[in-house]
Amino acid sequence: MSKSHPVPICRSDQLAELGKWCFSVLYRGAPEPALVVRFNGTVFGYLNHCAHMPRTLDCERDGVFDPSGRYLQCSMHGICYDPVSGRSLSEICLDKSLTAIKVAEQEGWIYLIDKHARLESPES
């Protein structure tokens, strides 16, 4: 994956506010689940792994935002994360963060632009 050749993940209109789009990447050579979310109109990308346990954030329910819509939340144990920084806000995982992957949104598309990640296959 070259920075000069961004790879499309999904169309912008497929990711609603507080929504998620799941996909798979090869991250530093290993297959990993990933997701993009839209928060306050901006798109953020993360590997889809809770910092507390090796589970996806949406392992027990479809959404990844808490009921207030202010935080990303693991559906297994309720660990909350800042959707902008990925940093844990829960005492049990203090000083831990989700692994960010670089994404960009332009001209109606969301692109993977992370030099450590390569798009594997869409899961939507």
Side-chain angles (χ1 to χ4, degrees), residues 45-88:
Y46 297 102
L47 293 185
N48 192 359
H49 287 291
C50 180
H52 176 59
M53 293 184 73
R55 304 276 185 163
T56 61
L57 296 177
D58 54 352
C59 66
E60 293 193 1
R61 66 177 163 76
D62 189 45
V64 292
F65 281 90
D66 77 326
S68 76
R70 293 185 304 183
Y71 309 109
L72 295 174
Q73 184 177 46
C74 177
S75 61
M76 170 80 46
H77 292 111
I79 306 298
C80 288
Y81 300 91
D82 179 318
V84 175
S85 68
R87 192 163 187 86
S88 173

Side-chain angles (χ1 to χ4, degrees), residues 1-15 21 23 25 35-38 43-46 101-115 117-119:
M1 153 91 233
S2 165
K3 279 188 168 181
S4 62
H5 294 93
V7 176
I9 297 169
C10 65
R11 290 189 326 266
S12 293
D13 64 5
Q14 292 178 291
L15 184 62
W21 184 271
F23 56 101
V25 295
L35 55 79
V36 288
V37 296
R38 187 180 301 280
V43 175
F44 300 93
Y46 297 102
I101 56 173
K102 292 181 183 178
V103 296
E105 183 173 26
Q106 49 187 185
E107 298 178 4
W109 285 87
I110 298 168
Y111 295 95
L112 179 64
I113 59 169
D114 195 300
K115 67 180 180 181
R118 183 168 55 91
L119 196 61

